[in-house]
Amino acid sequence: MALLEVRELTKRFALSRRKSWLEREAVTAVNRLSFDLEEGRTLGVVGESGCGKTTLGKLLLRLVEPDSGGVRFLGADWLALRGGDLRSRRRDMQMVFQDPQASLNPRMRVGEAITEPLVIHEGLGAAGRARAAGALMERVGLPGSALRRYPHEFSGGQRQRLGIARAVSTRPRLLVADEPVSSLDVSIQAQILNLLKDLQRQDGMGMIFIAHDLRVVEFMSDQVAVMYLGRFVEQAPSRALYTSPRHPYTRALLSAIPPAPGEEPREAEGPEGEPPSPSAPPAGCPFHPRCPLKEPRCESQAPEWREVEPEHRVACHLA
Amino acid sequence: MLLRYALKRALFSVPLLLGITLISFLVLHLAPGSPVSARGSLNPHISPESIRELRALYGLDKPLSTQYWDWLKRCAGFNFGDSFQDRQSVLSHILQALPATLLLNGVALLLVFGLGLPLGIFSAIRSGSPLDRAFTLSSFLAFSIPAFVLALFLQLVFGAWLGWFPISGFSSPWSMGQGWLAQAGDVLWHLVLPVWTTAFGAWVTVAQYMRNSTLEVLSQDYIRTAFAKGLGARRITLRHALPNALLPIITLLGLSVPGLVGGSFIIETIFAWPGMGRLGYEAAMNYDYPLVMGVVVMGAVLTVFGNLLADICYAVVDPRVRY
């Protein structure tokens, strides 16, 4: 049984602009997404900004409610949970956000902030809280003596460690990490990524790792999904996706990765042009206006989401 | 550490206060008319000698710079001079007027913040609801009514037509010699309309301010984090949103300190309230220079003090403030 099963998940946002007097323009941020995640595994989600990857994370966390589709988590209907039931089950799915500074209440001492989930979910008292806080700080590599400090007294990397400490405090089964390192210096990024990996191995958590940096995603993920205008266009085991990408968009993204030191220098290409407005997505294959391999049918016929090799799915007529 | 910060800030406000008194002094003395003309112009038979004598009596014949310097020297010893009108000391005038103003504005301030803050928070939490919209619209209407219009309106409706409340004054003649309970009740009865006028515009301002501050905080990432932690709406509001949303309110509180003691010229004059505002107004009408300066200095000191107090409060409650 999969840890997480997502089926046809869809979210539209209404814009204030109107199409007509009666109808508002809408953006389909997440468009009929389906995927599974096994216990203890990591699914990386990559895509350009605005492709809907953050909305996907929020939908899974139920910070935003989907318009349609289903999510099963730990074998139960996750979307059916309401009110207090949902709040008490949130302990099983926690998150790490992009901006660790803004994600911490500036007037709360960090010891309180990282143990607050334990207070509400396990009813910890003051003594238990202090003990748990010390242990958590140690788990994420921060000095226990810093518990009574405020968030602004920490560096960016330390703050993200605090965010991670808070997220793993309840021993969740699934961690949703939305761009957890993109606001950090490169030198700090590796430490945070390793920390996430260590904690995942220790607790056997599943992870949804959302990022725009392909190298980071490759390092973190077992499976990688490439997102474009609210859909997955390719999903494959990490190695397969990076060595033999099938979708032209994936290939374009991969060609844009700067070569690592020691690698052959090459022309960085990347996908041409800008992604089209998600409020007016192109007909047929959403990628066709930017696709170098475009054929007539791409303009009218949306490609199917099909398995081309075991575990390797693509939405492209030509793959 | 905090004490040093407070002392440093207090020290910096001394030149500011000096500047305020200097400008007030100049404006006051350069304005057309003088205490002598106020007393002499009604008398067609006044002789030039008498005018000269009057000027010498008030010390107005000396150069302006000397007059200011003399005034400043006296102030340093907390002697603000005597009123031109009755030769009573300025300080005793102020001390007589202060309790009435403190009472009026203290009650108004309690109402303003006691009603304004909860309304603002409620409005923010229910933002976009019909109730919130109605409140926002009506607060703009309320805010645009000037105090003197409202005062006259209340006097007309509740004083003259309905006869529920006295139109003006601090107490009724009949309450003299009654028990203290009856006297206190009588003062409270007189308080209703002036307090209403004083609080009306301000509590709408405070509520809107609190509404915006709460909305701002509710959109912060750490509120989203709190939801994702699994906290309930009540805990999020009380533990995460409010402590942060209340921070900017400190400024408003600091700014209301001078009003609390300084009183309002307009409202106190309309309601014949024997407080600081009316004292200042009457002093100005009579060219009573020492008394006007006393009221001005009082207001300036309190304004600076209120700001200082707000800054110190920030330093105490907001861990991010460095000092």
Side-chain angles (χ1 to χ4, degrees), chain A residues 169-232:
Chain A
S169 64
T170 59
R171 307 251 168 190
R173 303 311 308 143
L174 175 64
L175 191 66
V176 177
D178 182 8
E179 303 263 16
V181 295
S182 47
S183 68
L184 304 176
D185 285 349
V186 177
S187 56
I188 311 291
Q189 287 189 358
Q191 299 173 12
I192 298 293
L193 294 175
N194 282 319
L195 173 67
L196 278 172
K197 270 196 154 179
D198 290 347
L199 293 170
Q200 178 181 30
R201 202 174 45 240
Q202 288 161 19
D203 288 359
M205 294 182 285
M207 183 153 38
I208 305 279
F209 188 92
I210 299 167
H212 63 265
D213 185 329
L214 287 139
R215 287 241 182 252
V216 166
V217 170
E218 179 182 17
F219 176 73
M220 292 300 291
S221 314
D222 303 301
Q223 285 256 331
V224 175
V226 179
M227 204 164 169
Y228 189 76
L229 287 183
R231 299 170 216 232
F232 284 175

Side-chain angles (χ1 to χ4, degrees), chain A residues 58 63 87 90-91 93-95 97-99 102-108 112-113 116-117 119-121 129 150 152 166, chain B residues 220-233 235 239-244 246-247 317-322:
Chain A
K58 287 186 178 168
L63 295 174
R87 286 203 295 277
R90 282 191 188 277
R91 58 177 308 168
M93 193 195 291
Q94 286 287 313
M95 66 291 123
F97 292 116
Q98 173 170 7
D99 186 345
S103 303
L104 288 161
N105 183 342
R107 292 193 60 196
M108 210 178 232
E112 285 177 62
E116 197 180 23
V119 174
I120 49 169
H121 293 300
R129 202 171 177 180
Y150 287 98
H152 72 274
R166 190 215 59 240
Chain B
Q220 295 290 315
D221 283 0
Y222 56 82
I223 299 295
R224 180 195 58 189
T225 309
F227 272 109
K229 277 179 183 176
L231 306 194
R235 189 179 170 105
R239 298 254 310 160
H240 291 270
L242 286 192
N244 285 290
L246 282 169
L247 282 181
V317 294
D318 190 342
R320 286 166 297 183
V321 173
R322 298 261 169 81

Side-chain angles (χ1 to χ4, degrees), chain B residues 261-284:
Chain B
V261 187
S264 157
F265 280 29
I266 295 171
I267 292 171
E268 289 190 2
T269 306
I270 294 179
F271 287 102
W273 193 257
M276 294 285 292
R278 206 177 59 155
L279 181 71
Y281 171 76
E282 284 173 359

